[in-house]
Amino acid sequence: MNPPIQSPAAVKKPLSTEAVAAARKLAMQSGRRILEILETESGLSPADFLSELGAAFGVPTLTMSDLESLQPAFDVLPFSEALRRECLVARDAQENLYVIYADPFDPTHKAWIEERLSQQFGWRLTHTSDLATWFKQLEQSVRAMESFTAPDSVESDRHLDVEVISLKHLGESDSPVIKFVNSTLFDALKSDASDIHFETHGGGMVVKYRLDGVLVPAGKLSSLDMAEQVVSRIKVMAELDISERRVPQDGRFKASIDERAVDFRVSIMPSVFGEDAVIRILDKRALVNQTMELRLDGLGFEGATIGALRKLAKEAYGMMLVTGPTGSGKTTTLYASITEINDGEDKIVTIEDPVEYQLPGVLQIPVNEKKGLTFARGLRSILRHDPDKILVGEIRDSETAEIAVQAALTGHLVFTTVHANNVFDVIGRFTHMGVDPYSFVSAMNGIVAQRLVRLICPQCVTSYEPDAALLAESGLEDVDVSGFEFRIGKGCSHCRDTGYKGRKAIAEVLLLKEEIRELIIARAPARSLREAAARNGTVFLRETALALVRRGETTLQAINRVTLV
């Protein structure tokens, strides 16, 4: 019979091997952090516990006053990423760089930071509460900067009819329908959801959030009458026709949540039980959260991929095309590419449907098909506006494709997206649109296919061994997987019991070198193109995804969902 495990409190040293082992076991059972358990059981003051922690790990510690004397380096690690990773990069008065964190038991910190930072830096430990307080102070300064940089903040929207949603207003509302809709919007924004699905069925309504690309149940109504009223409320907010229930409707509205303006796009669709609604959340603060400047190295791409993307973005002319399914981050990648090259010396014009985020120093034109402003018509007008670089939100038809290709052939650098599964399917899409293959390959500099892969929640991550069926399903039955660090998230309150928290972009980049161009013009089969691309250095999506599994950042189930085996 095994002896009972001693609690950390029963050990003289609060961070002894026995104490940590006991805390680790308790953490696996309860879903709490090892650090939290150790501090609770130690009985030490925060300052004393931090001192013990620093001594145990051999890392210098910082108090709250020490933190306030440092200058955050958001140019190295953006604020939103620092908040998500619960660590921060800062400089002292001598410009020395430090990575400040609170949880040395987090297995992802060290490898991620050392891969992320190319500069020389030192590690510093601080208490969890001090780090949280510092984040709040920094967030206030970031928000203050936002009020000067975001033209459509709440201040500038006061003359508009903006729905105000806050905890105070939720408590004051008398209507259960208004309270249900507003609380759902409030909770979805706090949960970092990208979409809210209101799905009507025979017994009422189910509400789901799209978190990290996957639908997660968030609530329900057991009354069909109440479900109809909820959809009607959404229609009223989006200024849609509440009497029309037989055809789809699209609209948008703006709401003030926590004293900031958030845009919502609404899609209403008739169903056999009534109507379903989907609301897309467009939070303009998300852009400011990335230190008011999107960069490619903040999106999670591998180093080689970032180098290829920057090469394409800095070409003198031609076309850079990004492809992938809806919600795979195509527009964000193009925004980051444009932001990096926007030095004020070139005229950059975009035409988008809709303009999701505003880029400083860039002329952005929203498509308005009701008024006759289509992608094709807008693109023609842009070419008369003396642009150097053009972003076309999406190529949907042959006319837009032809104009975009001609613009790339006449000295402009064109950024655009198209829906296709991989870099080779793009060629077929343009051929079906009637674009001459020779013009296409002459204009195209490179094609990027990308996906977003869910990452394992760092709070509930644990090792596991996949069974033979999963390995076979993943195409690894004949592969030596001894070098793989298989991990999985057990599910906790931090990740809404999904086991995943956050996503990372992966991509395959096809640079159109001479060999590839010749094969396309000769209408060579996809297999020949794929072999030539591999010879020229293209790393395919599946290979990049498997590398994430090998490092223990994601799971086989997650990559099987977004890449072909």
Side-chain angles (χ1 to χ4, degrees):
M1 182 176 176
N2 294 327
I5 296 175
Q6 282 186 301
S7 70
V11 183
K12 287 184 179 180
K13 285 278 188 179
L15 294 172
S16 65
T17 305
E18 296 84 355
V20 172
R24 181 171 281 111
K25 184 173 182 178
L26 185 56
M28 292 179 67
Q29 295 169 351
S30 64
R32 295 164 62 199
R33 293 189 182 193
I34 298 173
L35 185 71
E36 176 190 345
I37 294 170
L38 286 170
E39 183 169 10
T40 302
E41 296 291 339
S42 71
L44 298 174
S45 68
D48 290 340
F49 181 75
L50 177 63
S51 179
E52 289 280 347
L53 199 64
F57 284 88
V59 180
T61 60
L62 299 176
T63 63
M64 191 64 217
S65 59
D66 295 330
L67 293 177
E68 291 173 342
S69 68
L70 299 174
Q71 185 65 35
F74 291 145
D75 57 318
V76 178
L77 185 67
F79 178 75
S80 61
E81 202 169 353
L83 201 60
R84 187 170 67 251
R85 294 279 184 173
E86 296 182 342
C87 65
L88 199 138
V89 179
R91 295 185 177 92
D92 62 12
Q94 290 74 42
E95 293 294 311
N96 296 314
L97 209 61
Y98 299 104
V99 173
I100 300 156
Y101 67 121
D103 189 356
F105 296 100
D106 187 333
T108 63
H109 269 121
K110 188 174 177 60
W112 177 76
I113 282 289
E114 288 180 348
E115 180 183 346
R116 181 77 165 72
L117 301 187
S118 57
Q119 306 97 312
Q120 187 175 359
F121 66 92
W123 293 93
R124 293 293 184 270
L125 261 178
T126 191
H127 195 270
T128 308
S129 61
D130 288 341
L131 187 61
T133 302
W134 199 31
F135 269 128
K136 286 182 181 178
Q137 294 176 2
L138 294 173
E139 185 176 18
Q140 289 172 1
S141 65
V142 170
R143 301 303 175 227
M145 293 176 68
E146 178 185 9
S147 66
F148 290 102
T149 57
D152 57 346
S153 62
V154 178
E155 288 293 323
S156 61
D157 281 320
R158 284 187 174 171
H159 65 286
L160 301 175
D161 185 16
V162 176
E163 183 77 19
V164 177
I165 300 172
S166 66
L167 290 174
K168 180 174 180 290
H169 284 79
L170 290 176
E172 293 174 350
S173 177
D174 294 327
S175 168
V177 174
I178 293 177
K179 184 178 291 187
F180 179 79
V181 173
N182 287 1
S183 62
T184 301
L185 297 176
F186 187 85
D187 182 53
L189 193 70
K190 293 296 183 183
S191 301
D192 294 326
S194 60
D195 302 84
I196 312 168
H197 289 242
F198 297 85
E199 300 178 353
T200 306
H201 56 82
M205 173 179 280
V206 174
V207 180
K208 299 177 181 177
Y209 297 159
R210 187 171 293 280
L211 300 174
D212 298 328
V214 177
L215 289 179
V216 177
K220 62 181 180 179
L221 293 172
S222 56
S223 165
L224 193 57
D225 180 60
M226 183 78 163
E228 291 177 358
Q229 292 181 53
V230 166
V231 175
S232 295
R233 170 60 184 165
I234 295 170
K235 285 182 177 180
V236 169
M237 295 173 75
E239 298 182 351
L240 300 177
D241 185 355
I242 62 172
S243 64
E244 181 56 76
R245 299 185 177 183
R246 297 163 296 177
V247 297
Q249 297 187 65
D250 297 308
R252 63 192 305 155
F253 66 91
K254 190 185 294 289
S256 170
I257 299 181
D258 280 355
E259 300 185 349
R260 76 178 188 269
V262 180
D263 286 328
F264 298 90
R265 282 211 321 252
V266 177
S267 173
I268 307 292
M269 191 70 65
S271 71
V272 292
F273 297 109
E275 291 177 294
D276 282 17
V278 174
I279 299 178
R280 166 67 58 88
I281 301 173
L282 301 173
D283 184 10
K284 288 180 169 55
R285 182 177 292 186
L287 192 63
V288 179
N289 272 353
Q290 297 178 36
T291 191
M292 269 89 73
E293 185 180 358
L294 276 170
R295 295 188 63 82
L296 288 169
D297 52 10
L299 302 183
F301 290 117
E302 301 291 317
T305 302
I306 293 173
L309 291 174
R310 283 179 172 154
K311 181 179 185 301
L312 291 174
K314 292 177 180 178
E315 295 286 2
Y317 53 84
M319 183 182 290
M320 172 182 173
L321 192 147
V322 183
T323 186
T326 302
S328 59
K330 300 186 296 294
T331 303
T332 304
T333 297
L334 291 181
Y335 278 169
S337 301
I338 286 177
T339 300
E340 287 199 357
I341 62 171
N342 184 15
D343 55 9
E345 296 181 359
D346 294 318
K347 180 75 171 182
I348 302 176
V349 185
T350 78
I351 180 163
E352 305 168 63
D353 183 23
V355 175
E356 295 193 3
Y357 298 114
Q358 294 177 349
L359 302 176
V362 177
L363 172 58
Q364 295 176 270
I365 304 167
V367 165
N368 190 337
E369 294 190 357
K370 291 181 181 178
K371 299 293 184 181
L373 179 55
T374 61
F375 274 113
R377 184 174 178 182
L379 188 50
R380 281 199 200 92
S381 299
I382 287 172
L383 292 174
R384 294 192 291 270
H385 206 69
D386 188 29
D388 296 293
K389 297 173 174 62
I390 303 167
L391 186 152
V392 182
E394 183 183 345
I395 291 181
R396 299 174 179 171
D397 52 63
S398 57
E399 188 179 8
T400 307
E402 284 283 0
I403 300 170
V405 168
Q406 290 304 315
L409 290 171
T410 52
H412 302 90
L413 183 59
V414 178
F415 300 84
T416 189
T417 73
V418 70
H419 284 287
N421 291 323
N422 55 56
V423 292
F424 306 108
D425 287 351
V426 171
I427 300 165
R429 286 295 307 274
F430 274 79
T431 302
H432 290 152
M433 289 181 191
V435 176
D436 174 54
Y438 185 81
S439 298
F440 171 78
V441 298
S442 299
M444 195 65 61
N445 294 331
I447 306 169
V448 182
Q450 76 174 64
R451 299 288 189 276
L452 293 177
V453 178
R454 293 199 291 171
L455 300 175
I456 301 169
C457 174
Q459 307 304 327
C460 59
V461 61
T462 184
S463 299
Y464 89 114
E465 286 297 327
D467 55 34
L470 179 57
L471 291 175
E473 181 187 331
S474 307
L476 299 175
E477 65 271 30
D478 298 322
V479 177
D480 180 13
V481 295
S482 59
F484 282 67
E485 190 175 355
F486 290 111
R487 291 178 174 178
I488 198 168
K490 295 185 302 178
C492 63
S493 58
H494 188 69
C495 61
R496 281 182 171 259
D497 293 317
T498 62
Y500 299 93
K501 187 69 175 177
R503 288 188 290 178
K504 185 174 186 176
I506 60 171
E508 60 185 21
V509 182
L510 177 66
L511 300 176
L512 265 72
K513 298 182 180 179
E514 286 306 314
E515 181 184 4
I516 305 290
R517 295 180 194 273
E518 291 170 2
L519 288 171
I520 294 173
I521 294 172
R523 297 181 182 273
R527 185 172 185 174
S528 299
L529 284 170
R530 190 176 181 86
E531 290 170 353
R535 286 195 300 271
N536 283 279
T538 298
V539 179
F540 299 108
L541 281 170
R542 185 68 183 180
E543 298 171 38
T544 306
L546 283 171
L548 294 183
V549 176
R550 185 180 290 109
R551 296 199 298 264
E553 295 183 37
T554 188
T555 65
L556 287 173
Q557 294 91 331
I559 69 166
N560 289 347
R561 187 176 177 275
V562 296
T563 62
L564 281 175
V565 178

